[in-house]
Amino acid sequence: MTANKRPIVLITGATSGFGLATAKKFAQQGYPIIITGRRADRLQALSTELKPLTDVFSAVLDVRDNDAVIAFNKQLPEAFKQVAILINNAGLALGAEPADQASLANWHTMIDTNVTGLVNVTHSFLTTLRAQPSATIINLASIAANWPYPGSSVYGASKAFVAQFSRNLRSDFAGTGVRVTSLEPGLAESEFSLVRFKGDQEKYKQIYDNANALQPEDIANIILWITEQPAHININSLEVMPTSQAWDNFKIVKQ
């Protein structure tokens, strides 16, 4: 494919889940895309699949490594340098134990990925985004940013950071061409939950059986819709759940 006039899209964590579905959605619409992830084999396979549809640049990247993020930005080919849509999707949840039973290593990994990694990528590309006539940043948060639940102490806190960071960026860029959205999905069926439960298929099934959960393609459709709104419209935050899910009533635990 040759370069086209659609804005260049950068998607982190593109090898599974929301990121994978979003990469496919934007490629189908002819957007030139940059896809990153930590698994080289999956990136290569996705790049090969999408190249008949659009211009694609792929790079193995661990967003937690700021030096690697800076080097990745600097080494982008000329045709991909003017990123106008940044989709900060890379993130994860690990474990669902009560706080006193949780792994400190898991907590650090979630903070390093969901907070530090997102900040690394955003900071590296802000100058480029600001230079575009119109630009969009979509940060993948979660309903866990807004609503606490057992076993989500650090995961929820990390996503609350994402939501508040998004609002603060909006304040910084008010009146400019840069738009910022915090996208906050609820129950969604993807590899995300297998990672959280260390590949435990039984726990995975218990969550999703008959739940009619959101699918990665649903989130990809929403992301595309956000980016294609007229330039004067900013979707500040968007919380989305499957119809089978709602806020839990406040519980009283009898002692």
Side-chain angles (χ1 to χ4, degrees), residues 36-60:
T36 74
R38 291 186 296 165
R39 291 171 285 195
D41 55 339
R42 291 196 180 193
L43 269 179
Q44 182 57 53
L46 180 60
S47 180
T48 300
E49 178 183 350
L50 299 184
K51 280 184 176 178
L53 302 174
T54 191
D55 298 315
V56 181
F57 179 78
S58 64
V60 175

Side-chain angles (χ1 to χ4, degrees), residues 23-82:
K24 291 181 178 181
K25 176 61 64 175
F26 276 88
Q28 289 163 3
Q29 300 300 315
Y31 286 81
I33 59 173
I34 304 164
I35 51 176
T36 74
R38 291 186 296 165
R39 291 171 285 195
D41 55 339
R42 291 196 180 193
L43 269 179
Q44 182 57 53
L46 180 60
S47 180
T48 300
E49 178 183 350
L50 299 184
K51 280 184 176 178
L53 302 174
T54 191
D55 298 315
V56 181
F57 179 78
S58 64
V60 175
L61 180 66
D62 185 341
V63 297
R64 298 173 297 180
D65 183 343
N66 191 47
D67 289 340
V69 170
I70 293 170
F72 156 73
N73 190 349
K74 289 181 177 178
Q75 294 165 10
L76 283 174
E78 193 62 36
F80 288 92
K81 284 189 178 296
Q82 300 306 312

Side-chain angles (χ1 to χ4, degrees), residues 6-181:
R6 286 188 177 272
I8 296 167
V9 182
L10 167 57
I11 305 166
T12 66
T15 55
S16 66
F18 298 159
L20 177 62
T22 301
K24 291 181 178 181
K25 176 61 64 175
F26 276 88
Q28 289 163 3
Q29 300 300 315
Y31 286 81
I33 59 173
I34 304 164
I35 51 176
T36 74
R38 291 186 296 165
R39 291 171 285 195
D41 55 339
R42 291 196 180 193
L43 269 179
Q44 182 57 53
L46 180 60
S47 180
T48 300
E49 178 183 350
L50 299 184
K51 280 184 176 178
L53 302 174
T54 191
D55 298 315
V56 181
F57 179 78
S58 64
V60 175
L61 180 66
D62 185 341
V63 297
R64 298 173 297 180
D65 183 343
N66 191 47
D67 289 340
V69 170
I70 293 170
F72 156 73
N73 190 349
K74 289 181 177 178
Q75 294 165 10
L76 283 174
E78 193 62 36
F80 288 92
K81 284 189 178 296
Q82 300 306 312
V83 172
I85 299 172
L86 170 59
I87 300 169
N88 276 314
N89 169 73
L92 77 170
L94 294 173
E97 303 86 358
D100 60 322
Q101 300 173 27
S103 160
L104 181 60
N106 283 349
W107 281 7
H108 285 167
T109 299
M110 286 186 280
I111 294 168
D112 291 345
T113 308
N114 300 350
V115 176
T116 305
L118 183 143
V119 167
N120 288 343
V121 175
T122 304
H123 187 268
S124 183
F125 281 89
L126 280 179
T127 300
T128 300
L129 291 161
R130 183 68 180 85
Q132 308 309 313
S134 178
T136 304
I137 301 170
I138 300 177
N139 294 324
L140 267 294
S142 166
I143 61 168
N146 306 319
W147 309 104
Y149 61 88
S152 182
S153 50
V154 167
Y155 174 70
S158 72
K159 291 303 185 178
F161 174 93
V162 173
Q164 185 66 15
F165 180 60
S166 301
R167 288 190 283 264
N168 290 337
L169 284 177
R170 273 282 294 128
S171 296
D172 285 344
F173 292 116
T176 75
V178 180
R179 308 184 296 182
V180 187
T181 298

